Amino acid sequence: MKIAFVGKGGSGKTTLSSLFIRHLAANEAPVIAVDADINQHLGAALGLGEDEAAALPAMGAHLPLIKEYLRGSNPRITSADRMIKTTPPGRGSRLLRVTEDNPVYDACARTVLLDGEPVRLMATGPFTEADLGVACYHSKVGAVELCLNHLVDGPDEYVVVDMTAGSDSFASGMFTRFDVTFLVAEPTRKGIGVYRQYKEYARDFGVSLKVVGNKVQGPEDIEFLQDEVGEDLLVTVGHSDWVRAMEKGRPAAFELLEATNRLALQSLQDAADDSYAHRDWERYTEQMVGFHLKNAQSWGNAKTGTDLADQVDPGFVLREESAADRAPGEAAQGDAPVSPPHLPLRPAPQPA
């Protein structure tokens, strides 16, 4: 399943996404972690040193390789140069799976051991000197969107994406690629403002949105979040000595994370599992195609000099079975089914 962490800058979404990734790894679940934030901090939050984090390959730098691999033998895509970030898969396309080995992961992913458990870490990459003043960050995130469009994930597999801050996620259709979106909100007017904006933008797209209240200092903060967010509030987050040590670069074994925190992280996993169980693959594919046609008309056709609507395979629906019956790397054929925390994490109490 695919999971996004969003929120305003400084809300703590990278810290929380890294804790969730550690939780999944501790449960021996297959995990791909993706840093899609303009500020690349997920690697450090997962324990990488400064040099190790800086050495992570940038997905944006490998976009030609990603396109060439994913197009496979799809007859509707005559050249990788004519693929854009929203190009959907079709019959003949290569589909990614969480646990396989493939050239995309070889080039763009690195394995990080979290208390001995492996996690694949990928990153969009930071701005380069050549980008300054001439490129927007969404040119980097496009590689992530293309991979998500071609990724077939199962119920016990997790792709966790630390998204860019605020409502920037809505500059592309990537916000519809997730089974659940965890919005990290502080108990402040600004924190709630981001939630309301995200809720409004996502309203017509069936986005499952759950709020994680962060930097909660007491009952008044919890009451404020309950009043403003209502039933979307899933858990609240506060002080953790374990997190404090982690942010100093001296984390203890994850099994020593406070019990209340572990229970709260489990509630996030339960919410994600429940959302995946209700995934509508037809709607999922339809939204993917819809955003592709919109981008094609807006700028893609002019950029590539071709009608990108022709890339849409009307007989294809992306499903879990799309990749289940083929060898890794084999193209899909035929009619493929188609400021850190300072109170314990705890489940949000129900209003009286």
Side-chain angles (χ1 to χ4, degrees):
M1 63 203 72
K2 303 182 181 80
I3 300 156
F5 279 81
V6 302
K8 79 175 185 67
S11 64
K13 65 182 179 60
T14 297
T15 297
L16 288 168
S17 61
S18 70
L19 285 175
F20 185 60
I21 291 163
R22 289 177 184 271
H23 166 79
L24 295 173
N27 289 340
E28 300 183 352
V31 183
I32 293 177
V34 183
D35 192 343
D37 194 354
I38 188 170
N39 298 307
Q40 305 269 286
H41 296 314
L42 184 59
L46 292 174
L48 294 185
E50 185 176 337
D51 292 341
E52 291 176 305
L56 288 172
M59 294 179 69
H62 294 283
L63 192 54
L65 178 151
I66 293 172
K67 290 180 177 180
E68 188 61 49
Y69 178 77
L70 294 179
R71 80 182 185 98
S73 60
N74 187 336
R76 294 177 176 272
I77 304 174
T78 58
S79 167
D81 292 337
R82 294 187 175 181
M83 292 180 73
I84 62 174
K85 64 180 184 178
T86 55
T87 295
R91 284 166 287 195
S93 297
R94 288 193 181 97
L95 304 177
L96 304 175
R97 287 174 286 185
V98 172
T99 58
E100 72 178 0
D101 293 320
N102 58 54
V104 174
Y105 295 159
D106 289 344
C108 301
R110 294 295 179 265
T111 299
V112 177
L113 293 179
L114 302 177
D115 286 346
E117 297 298 333
V119 167
R120 272 185 172 136
L121 175 60
M122 306 172 74
T124 58
F127 275 121
T128 65
E129 186 175 346
D131 295 325
L132 297 178
V134 297
C136 73
Y137 190 65
H138 303 106
S139 64
K140 306 287 186 183
V141 178
V144 180
E145 184 171 1
L146 193 59
C147 285
L148 290 179
N149 281 352
H150 288 75
L151 193 148
V152 181
D153 49 314
D156 298 315
E157 302 169 334
Y158 298 84
V159 180
V160 181
V161 183
D162 182 19
M163 298 283 281
T164 191
S167 57
D168 284 357
S169 305
F170 291 96
S172 73
M174 194 162 71
F175 73 96
T176 65
R177 300 299 86 201
F178 302 104
D179 296 290
V180 63
T181 296
F182 294 127
L183 189 145
V184 181
E186 301 167 78
T188 63
R189 292 175 62 187
K190 287 184 179 179
I192 295 303
V194 172
Y195 158 76
R196 288 176 175 164
Q197 188 177 46
Y198 210 106
K199 181 87 170 178
E200 176 65 26
Y201 288 164
R203 176 168 301 173
D204 297 329
F205 296 94
V207 173
S208 176
L209 184 65
K210 302 294 181 183
V211 174
V212 180
N214 194 22
K215 303 182 183 179
V216 172
Q217 298 187 27
E220 290 184 0
D221 285 345
I222 295 174
E223 183 179 357
F224 174 81
L225 288 169
Q226 289 175 331
D227 289 344
E228 298 294 333
V229 173
E231 63 182 11
D232 285 341
L233 183 62
L234 181 63
V235 294
T236 58
V237 180
H239 178 70
S240 165
D241 290 336
W242 193 96
V243 170
R244 188 86 170 177
M246 178 193 73
E247 294 189 335
K248 292 177 180 178
R250 296 177 292 195
F254 189 69
E255 63 184 12
L256 298 178
L257 180 70
E258 299 86 355
T260 51
N261 297 1
R262 295 292 292 270
L263 288 173
L265 292 172
Q266 183 61 51
S267 73
L268 298 186
Q269 184 178 359
D270 291 344
D273 291 347
D274 182 67
S275 292
Y276 179 86
H278 295 90
R279 181 189 289 182
D280 183 338
W281 288 95
E282 286 78 11
R283 180 174 182 174
Y284 187 81
T285 304
E286 181 180 310
Q287 288 179 333
M288 184 194 314
V289 168
F291 278 108
H292 176 63
L293 295 176
K294 188 174 181 179
N295 277 267
Q297 187 174 30
S298 176
W299 60 270
N301 291 345
K303 180 177 180 179
T304 62
T306 188
D307 185 358
L308 296 178
D310 291 341
Q311 294 180 346
V312 176
D313 184 344
F316 181 88
V317 175
L318 188 70
R319 297 185 188 276
E320 186 181 348
E321 294 85 354
S322 297
D325 299 322
R326 59 184 178 84
E330 180 184 350
Q333 298 293 334
D335 213 2
V338 209
S339 272
H342 43 86
L343 283 178
L345 278 159
R346 54 190 173 276
Q350 297 299 313

